[in-house]
Amino acid sequence: GAVVSQHPSWVICKSGTSVKIECRSLDFQATTMFWYRQFPKQSLMLMATSNEGSKATYEQGVEKDKFLINHASLTLSTLTVTSAHPEDSSFYICSAMGLAGDEQFFGPGTRLTVL
Amino acid sequence: TQLLEQSPQFLSIQEGENLTVYCNSSSVFSSLQWYRQEPGEGPVLLVTVVTGGEVKKLKRLTFQFGDARKDSSLHITAAQPGDTGLYLCAGDPGTYKYIFGTGTRLKVLA
């Protein structure tokens, strides 16, 4: 089956620093990847859609300058949380859509804690 | 804003009991998926339903898509402790950008 990995699986950083999270499709190519945020005991909220070779599209209320997304290849998308603050602490999950476009495969998530 | 409301929010039952989780919206979806998520992990796809009125079975799990494609249900027969987790429905309004439901947290006690 299709496998999506995320790195790191968890990260702790100081307030004001930037953190980069990688999302990789290991055995398939993904023209589209999605980034979600999940707060404790809540559902997934779509943050942005990452398209290979073009700018990401952000959902309403998500600051594009704070959450930088780069989708430089068909197997890698990165999310950089810039100038992180404690309220950015969350579980960040990516998903990748196969070329057939009919199913998305989720990564294991990255837990970010900002002190 | 399209919303997917799940009910109940929380459910704690004894092993062997049956349960149904509902996923409701006022919007029409071209397809709807159900996921199960365990703590600290990403969601795992259980099923995708596409046709109004469609029923799919996965062992002890039965999924139904409403005739109008606005709602869905997940029924678990003879629940087991291994069924414990967060169940999420997610609807595609036709853009391939799935909207996730509010979630149902299930705990099955041995």
Side-chain angles (χ1 to χ4, degrees):
Chain A
V3 179
V4 176
S5 70
Q6 283 185 239
H7 179 79
S9 54
W10 60 269
V11 57
I12 301 173
C13 70
K14 292 183 178 180
S15 185
T17 61
S18 294
V19 174
K20 180 186 284 189
I21 303 170
E22 293 183 349
C23 177
R24 293 181 185 272
S25 55
L26 297 185
D27 50 2
F28 67 102
Q29 293 181 326
T31 55
T32 302
M33 291 184 174
F34 301 95
W35 286 97
Y36 297 85
R37 182 167 52 184
Q38 185 177 33
F39 291 109
K41 301 189 186 303
Q42 293 188 22
S43 187
L44 279 70
M45 295 297 295
L46 180 65
M47 299 174 66
T49 303
S50 169
N51 298 295
E52 188 267 336
S54 64
K55 290 183 179 180
T57 54
Y58 292 81
E59 296 301 300
Q60 193 172 8
V62 178
E63 299 174 57
K64 63 179 181 180
D65 294 330
K66 180 167 184 64
F67 298 100
L68 300 179
I69 291 172
N70 185 284
H71 193 157
S73 77
L74 287 172
T75 58
L76 173 64
S77 176
T78 61
L79 168 69
T80 301
V81 183
T82 62
S83 188
H85 288 98
E87 57 266 31
D88 298 324
S89 297
S90 188
F91 194 49
Y92 291 87
I93 305 174
C94 73
S95 70
M97 183 164 284
L99 294 180
D102 58 355
E103 187 174 346
Q104 55 177 329
F105 303 94
F106 283 85
T110 296
R111 183 160 303 283
L112 169 63
T113 302
V114 184
L115 302 176
Chain B
T1 302
Q2 294 159 311
L3 293 174
L4 274 169
E5 295 283 343
Q6 287 183 235
S7 61
Q9 276 188 290
F10 304 97
L11 192 54
S12 181
I13 60 172
Q14 293 293 325
E15 182 176 5
E17 293 184 5
N18 302 331
L19 68 119
T20 301
V21 178
Y22 299 94
C23 173
N24 294 298
S25 175
S26 58
S27 302
V28 175
F29 294 99
S30 59
S31 66
L32 191 139
Q33 298 182 326
W34 283 93
Y35 293 83
R36 187 174 77 199
Q37 184 184 25
E38 303 205 17
E41 299 181 12
V44 175
L45 179 66
L46 298 175
V47 78
T48 301
V49 285
V50 179
T51 307
E54 183 177 3
V55 176
K56 281 192 174 180
K57 291 193 174 185
L58 183 65
K59 297 184 181 177
R60 294 176 293 101
L61 279 60
T62 302
F63 305 86
Q64 184 163 9
F65 201 10
D67 291 341
R69 291 185 286 128
K70 293 182 179 181
D71 53 80
S72 181
S73 64
L74 156 61
H75 182 79
I76 302 179
T77 303
Q80 299 177 359
D83 296 327
T84 294
L86 176 66
Y87 287 82
L88 296 162
C89 63
D92 174 13
T95 62
Y96 290 115
K97 289 165 60 174
Y98 280 84
I99 298 165
F100 276 81
T102 48
T104 294
R105 197 166 293 278
L106 171 65
K107 187 168 186 177
V108 182
L109 304 170

